[in-house]
C-alpha cells in the first residue's frame, strides 16, 4: 500500500523528533488516526478528555521541555476547542503546533456539517503561520514551516488538512514550476547579541548607579549564571516576573521574589528605591510596579526587538540573546565597593521570609492556604516541576513558594486563564516522566476541568518512571480570587450566587479512580500529608480544606484598595467578620516583622 498523506505527515513529525500528539479523535482526522495505527502509535497519541486540555498539555510540554508541543483535533468543534490553549501559548510565547482536520474538499463552501472557516478562525491565534493543505505535494513544506516558525517565533502555528486529503496517496513536490520543496527537518536558533557600542553604553549606565535593581523574566532562564554574576558585580537585588519565578532560586539572599500585584514587599521596595534598573528577558506589563518614571536609569535586554523599550523608558535597549549579551557586558562592569544597597536588599528579603512564615501560621478556619505552600518549601524535591492554576493559587505560588535550584515552575502568565494547572502537569509529566510534578489548583478550576483530567492521569500513570503527580486542591467552595477582586477593586460585597461553589470531595473522586486521595482538614495534618503524597506509588490528590477569608493582601496595598474592601464589608459582605478579623491578623504579621528590623 502506498503511503497516504497522513502516513507521510506522521513520518515527518517523527523526523522532527515529535514524540507526543496531545489530542482527541473525530471524523475530521480519521485518516490521521488510522495512520497512527499503521505507525504503531508513533508519535504517541495522548488522549485528553477535551481538546482544550490537549492544547494546554501541549503548552505545558513545551514550557517544561523547550521543545514544540503538538496538538491534534478534528474539524469544526474540535478545532474551536483548541483556541484557549493556543492563545495561552501565544501570549506566553510558547512553541505549539496545531494540526486540525477539515471537512472534505468537495464539501467545502457548501455549508456542510461541522464546516468552519478554519483559516479565519486561526488567523489571529496562529498569526505566525496558518495554512491549509489542498494537494499532497504541499507536504512536507507546510509541516516544516509550521515547526520552524513555531520554534523561531516562539508562537503557535496551525496546519489544516481536509479529511479526504489525509487518505490520498502522498506525492512529494517535484522539481517543477509552482512546486515548493523543503529541506531536512530541524531548526537551530541563531546566537545573537547587541552591538558592542550599545553594550558599552549599557555598562556606563550600570556602573554609574549606586542602587541597581534587576528584573528577570522567562527570557533570562538560559542566562541564570550570567544574571547572578551581574548581580554580584553591581550589588543588585533581583526581582522576578511571574513567568520568571524559576529563573533564580529563592534561597539566594538578594532575590526578592515576584513583582507586581502578586509580588513581595522586598520586590516593591527594590523597585521603589533603586536608581538603576536592568530588565532581562521580561515583558512585565504593569509599569506602576516599576520605578517611578524619571527616578531610575534603565537598560533592557530582550531577544525580540518588537518587545523592547515599551514597559519602561529605558535609556539603552539591547536586542540579543540574554546570556550572550550579558557575557559581553560583564567584563565592562566595575564591582561596586559600597555594598550598603545590597545589605539593605538582603535585610528586606530575610524579614520578608519571616513575614511569610508568620502569615502562613495565622489561625484560620479550617486551614490557612498559605500554610499549604509553606509546608512544601522544606519538602520540595530538588528536581520537581510545579504548576499553578489561575486564581488564589497563583497568589500563594508567586509569594509563598520557595523555588530552589533545579526546580521548574510555570502557570498561565499573560492570558491568566483558568484551567491549565492539571493539563500543564500532564504535559510536563510526558516531557519528564522521571520527575515529580506538583499542581496547585483551586476548586473552581478543578470543577471546570481538573476532575475530568484526573481520568487522563489515571490512564497514563503506569507509563511514567516516577509515579508522583500531586494535585493539591485549595478547597474553599469559593471562586476566591474574583471574590477578593470584587471587594478590593470595586468595593462590592461577595455575591454568593456567582461565587459559591458546590461542595465536592476531590479526594473521594481520586480514590474512585484508584488514585491516592488525601483529605486534609486540620493545619497540623498538612506536613504529614505532603510526606505521604511525596512518598506515594501513584498520583495523589491532596484535598485541602482552606479558609476563603484569608486575604491575598499585596504587601504594598494602598489606601484606596483598603477603602474598597471596607466599603464591601459595610455593604453587607456575607463573610464580613472573618474578612476583617483574618485580614487584620495577616497584615499585622508584616507590620510586626518590619517593626523588629
Amino acid at each position: 500500500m502506498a503511503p497516504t498523506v497522513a502516513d507521510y505527515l506522521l513520518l515527518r513529525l517523527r523526523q522532527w523528533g515529535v514524540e507526543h500528539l496531545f489530542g482527541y479523535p473525530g471524523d475530521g482526522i480519521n485518516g490521521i488516526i488510522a495512520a497512527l495505527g499503521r505507525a504503531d502509535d508513533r508519535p504517541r497519541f495522548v488522549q485528553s478528555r477535551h481538546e482544550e486540555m490537549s492544547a494546554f498539555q501541549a503548552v505545558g510540554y513545551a514550557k517544561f521541555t523547550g521543545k514544540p508541543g503538538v496538538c491534534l483535533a478534528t474539524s469544526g468543534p474540535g478545532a474551536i476547542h483548541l483556541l484557549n490553549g493556543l492563545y495561552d501559548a501565544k501570549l506566553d510565547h510558547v512553541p505549539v503546533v496545531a494540526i486540525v482536520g477539515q471537512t472534505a474538499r468537495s464539501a467545502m463552501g457548501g455549508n456542510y456539517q461541522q464546516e468552519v472557516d478554519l483559516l479565519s478562525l486561526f488567523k489571529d491565534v496562529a498569526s505566525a503561520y496558518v495554512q491549509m493543505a489542498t494537494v499532497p505535494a504541499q507536504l512536507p513544506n507546510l509541516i516544516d514551516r509550521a515547526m520552524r516558525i513555531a520554534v523561531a517565533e516562539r508562537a503557535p502555528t496551525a496546519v489544516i488538512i481536509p479529511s479526504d486529503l489525509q487518505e490520498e496517496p502522498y506525492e512529494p513536490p517535484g522539481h517543477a514550476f509552482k512546486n515548493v520543496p523543503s529541506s531536512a527537518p530541524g531548526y537551530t536558533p541563531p546566537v545573537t547579541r547587541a552591538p558592542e557600542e550599545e553594550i558599552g553604553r549599557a555598562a556606563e549606565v550600570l556602573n554609574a548607579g549606586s542602587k541597581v535593581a534587576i528584573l528577570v523574566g522567562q527570557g533570562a532562564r538560559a542566562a541564570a549564571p550570567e544574571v547572578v554574576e551581574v548581580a554580584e558585580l553591581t550589588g543588585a537585588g533581583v526581582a522576578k516576573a511571574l513567568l520568571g519565578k524559576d529563573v533564580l532560586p529563592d534561597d539566594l539572599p538578594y532575590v526578592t521574589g515576584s513583582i507586581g500585584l502578586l509580588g513581595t514587599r522586598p520586590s516593591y521596595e527594590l523597585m521603589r528605591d533603586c536608581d538603576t534598573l536592568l530588565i532581562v528577558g521580561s515583558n512585565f506589563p504593569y509599569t506602576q510596579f516599576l520605578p517611578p518614571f524619571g527616578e531610575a536609569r534603565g537598560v533592557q535586554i530582550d531577544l525580540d526587538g518588537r518587545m523592547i523599550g515599551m514597559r519602561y523608558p529605558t535609556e539603552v535597549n539591547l536586542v540579543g540573546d540574554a546570556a550572550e549579551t550579558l557575557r559581553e557586558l560583564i567584563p565592562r562592569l566595575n564591582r561596586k565597593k559600597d555594598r550598603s544597597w545590597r545589605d539593605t536588599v538582603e535585610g528586606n528579603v530575610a524579614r520578608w521570609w519571616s513575614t511569610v512564615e508568620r502569615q502562613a501560621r495565622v489561625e484560620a478556619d479550617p486551614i490557612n492556604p498559605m500554610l499549604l505552600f509553606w509546608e512544601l518549601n522544606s519538602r520540595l524535591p530538588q528536581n520537581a516541576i510545579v504548576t499553578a492554576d489561575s486564581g488564589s493559587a497563583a497568589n500563594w505560588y508567586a509569594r509563598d513558594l520557595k523555588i530552589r535550584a533545579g526546580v521548574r515552575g510555570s502557570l498561565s502568565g499573560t492570558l491568566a486563564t483558568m484551567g491549565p494547572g492539571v493539563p500543564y502537569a500532564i504535559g510536563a509529566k510526558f516531557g519528564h516522566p522521571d520527575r515529580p510534578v506538583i499542581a496547585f489548583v483551586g476548586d473552581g478550576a478543578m470543577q471546570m476541568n481538573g476532575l475530568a483530567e484526573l481520568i487522563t492521569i489515571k490512564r497514563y500513570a503506569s507509563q511514567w518512571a516516577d509515579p508522583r503527580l500531586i494535585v493539591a486542591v485549595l478547597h474553599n467552595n469559593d471562586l476566591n480570587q474574583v471574590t477578593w477582586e470584587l471587594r478590593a477593586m470595586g468595593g462590592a460585597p461577595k455575591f454568593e450566587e456567582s461565587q459559591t461553589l458546590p461542595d465536592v470531595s476531590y479526594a473521594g473522586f481520586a480514590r474512585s479512580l484508584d488514585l491516592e486521595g488525601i483529605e486534609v482538614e486540620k493545619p497540623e495534618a498538612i506536613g504529614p500529608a505532603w510526606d505521604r503524597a511525596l512518598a506515594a506509588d501513584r498520583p495523589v490528590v491532596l484535598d485541602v480544606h482552606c479558609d476563603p477569608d484569608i486575604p491575598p493582601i499585596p504587601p504594598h496595598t494602598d489606601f484606596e484598595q483598603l477603602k474598597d474592601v471596607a466599603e464591601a464589608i459595610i455593604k453587607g459582605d456575607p463573610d464580613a467578620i472573618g474578612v476583617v478579623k483574618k485580614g487584620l491578623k495577616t497584615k499585622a504579621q508584616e507590620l510586626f516583622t518590619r517593626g523588629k528590623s
Side-chain angles (χ1 to χ4, degrees):
M1 175 181 172
T4 66
V5 167
D7 291 323
Y8 185 78
L9 165 70
L10 299 180
L11 171 64
R12 200 63 173 178
L13 291 174
R14 291 194 296 272
Q15 290 171 343
W16 270 96
V18 175
E19 297 177 339
H20 302 94
L21 292 177
F22 299 96
Y24 201 82
D27 62 1
I29 52 172
N30 274 353
I32 299 173
I33 299 300
L36 279 166
R38 294 191 293 272
D40 197 26
D41 196 22
R42 293 183 305 122
R44 182 181 182 186
F45 185 82
V46 179
Q47 184 202 78
S48 68
R49 316 275 60 79
H50 189 286
E51 290 93 349
E52 183 182 359
M53 300 301 98
S54 297
F56 280 142
Q57 288 162 17
V59 175
Y61 178 89
K63 281 191 171 189
F64 293 114
T65 66
K67 298 185 288 187
V70 182
C71 53
L72 177 66
T74 187
S75 58
I80 293 168
H81 284 162
L82 293 176
L83 286 178
N84 196 37
L86 294 180
Y87 271 108
D88 187 42
K90 180 175 182 173
L91 271 62
D92 278 359
H93 306 288
V94 178
V96 171
V97 177
I99 298 171
V100 296
Q102 176 59 291
T103 191
R105 291 167 293 175
S106 59
M108 290 174 62
N111 197 27
Y112 208 70
Q113 185 187 32
Q114 296 191 338
E115 182 186 0
V116 172
D117 183 355
L118 295 180
L119 285 169
S120 296
L121 181 75
F122 287 106
K123 183 178 181 180
D124 180 57
V125 72
S127 56
Y129 188 76
V130 53
Q131 290 293 330
M132 182 170 68
T134 56
V135 296
Q138 286 177 274
L139 278 72
N141 185 56
L142 295 190
I143 295 301
D144 290 353
R145 292 205 70 203
M147 294 293 291
R148 283 197 184 96
I149 291 171
V151 176
E153 300 289 329
R154 294 168 291 120
T157 59
V159 176
I160 303 159
I161 307 178
S163 58
D164 59 324
L165 180 62
Q166 297 166 24
E167 299 177 345
E168 282 199 5
Y170 173 68
E171 296 177 9
H175 189 205
F177 187 50
K178 295 186 178 180
N179 274 234
V180 182
S182 195
S183 56
Y187 175 80
T188 302
V191 178
T192 61
R193 63 172 171 80
E196 289 189 14
E197 180 180 341
E198 292 301 298
I199 293 175
R201 289 182 58 222
E204 290 175 8
V205 171
L206 294 173
N207 285 332
S210 60
K211 297 187 287 186
V212 179
I214 300 175
L215 171 61
V216 296
Q218 63 175 341
R221 187 169 291 112
E226 289 79 11
V227 171
V228 167
E229 192 166 355
V230 171
E232 290 293 349
L233 287 169
T234 61
V238 182
K240 301 185 286 188
L242 196 53
L243 287 173
K245 182 172 173 66
D246 61 352
V247 169
L248 292 182
D250 287 308
D251 51 13
L252 290 175
Y254 54 84
V255 170
T256 61
S258 297
I259 187 175
L261 197 60
L262 310 187
T264 69
R265 170 159 283 277
S267 288
Y268 171 72
E269 293 166 334
L270 181 75
M271 294 296 151
R272 182 194 65 193
D273 299 335
C274 72
D275 62 16
T276 309
L277 174 63
L278 171 62
I279 304 172
V280 184
S282 171
N283 188 35
F284 177 74
Y286 304 112
T287 56
Q288 69 268 37
F289 295 107
L290 297 177
F293 295 167
E295 294 190 14
R297 302 177 71 185
V299 174
Q300 185 174 3
I301 301 172
D302 202 288
L303 185 63
D304 191 344
R306 298 172 301 176
M307 309 300 289
I308 204 157
M310 64 185 226
R311 301 305 189 198
Y312 193 77
T314 42
E315 191 172 328
V316 183
N317 292 315
L318 305 178
V319 179
D321 175 80
E324 185 70 18
T325 301
L326 287 174
R327 281 195 287 269
E328 291 295 320
L329 177 65
I330 285 168
R332 305 167 191 256
L333 297 177
N334 302 324
R335 180 177 173 82
K336 297 192 187 300
K337 296 179 181 179
D338 182 353
R339 310 304 278 190
S340 57
W341 169 245
R342 168 61 72 81
D343 292 343
T344 297
V345 171
E346 292 188 1
N348 291 342
V349 171
R351 283 190 295 275
W352 169 252
W353 284 116
S354 176
T355 296
V356 169
E357 181 176 10
R358 293 175 62 85
Q359 289 181 336
R361 300 193 186 284
V362 167
E363 186 177 347
D365 181 20
I367 293 172
N368 186 328
M370 288 184 274
L371 189 61
L372 174 66
F373 291 77
W374 181 259
E375 288 291 344
L376 177 62
N377 284 335
S378 61
R379 298 171 166 87
L380 189 62
Q382 197 71 36
N383 63 338
I385 296 172
V386 181
T387 72
D389 218 293
S390 297
S392 60
N395 284 289
W396 315 128
Y397 164 83
R399 226 177 275 161
D400 292 50
L401 187 67
K402 253 189 174 180
I403 292 286
R404 60 179 64 177
V407 172
R408 289 294 316 278
S410 195
L411 39 57
S412 177
T414 312
L415 187 60
T417 180
M418 275 183 69
V422 174
Y424 267 22
I426 294 170
K429 203 66 180 171
F430 277 104
H432 299 283
D434 58 340
R435 296 176 66 170
V437 177
I438 301 168
F440 288 101
V441 185
D443 46 6
M446 282 302 290
Q447 292 186 20
M448 181 178 283
N449 56 39
L451 284 169
E453 285 310 299
L454 292 180
I455 300 171
T456 304
I457 291 171
K458 166 60 180 176
R459 176 171 184 168
Y460 294 106
S462 63
Q463 301 173 20
W464 299 325
D466 186 324
R468 292 175 294 176
L469 195 165
I470 302 168
V471 179
V473 182
L474 282 72
H475 183 165
N476 55 28
N477 297 328
D478 181 49
L479 291 171
N480 203 233
Q481 183 77 1
V482 175
T483 295
W484 281 103
E485 287 170 349
L486 282 168
R487 291 167 176 153
M489 295 180 180
K494 175 180 175 179
F495 179 56
E496 293 189 90
E497 286 303 310
S498 72
Q499 300 310 110
T500 301
L501 291 167
D503 194 22
V504 173
S505 174
Y506 305 97
F509 187 83
R511 289 191 291 268
S512 76
L513 298 173
D514 199 29
L515 304 177
E516 187 85 10
I518 304 173
E519 195 160 10
V520 187
E521 299 179 283
K522 296 180 180 180
E524 60 269 22
I526 291 180
W530 276 123
D531 292 334
R532 180 178 162 190
L534 289 165
D537 62 354
R538 68 192 66 193
V540 176
V541 171
L542 280 182
D543 186 349
V544 185
H545 291 253
C546 295
D547 190 334
D549 294 340
I550 296 294
I553 300 175
H556 36 70
T557 301
D558 59 28
F559 173 75
E560 286 301 316
Q561 289 171 316
L562 290 174
K563 181 170 71 70
D564 285 342
V565 173
E567 287 178 0
I569 293 167
I570 292 169
K571 291 174 183 176
D573 194 289
D575 299 326
I577 295 175
V579 168
V580 172
K581 181 180 178 182
K582 293 156 193 172
L584 290 173
K585 279 188 176 181
T586 301
K587 194 65 178 175
Q589 307 313 309
E590 182 186 335
L591 299 174
F592 178 83
T593 308
R594 290 168 64 196
K596 292 177 67 177
S597 61

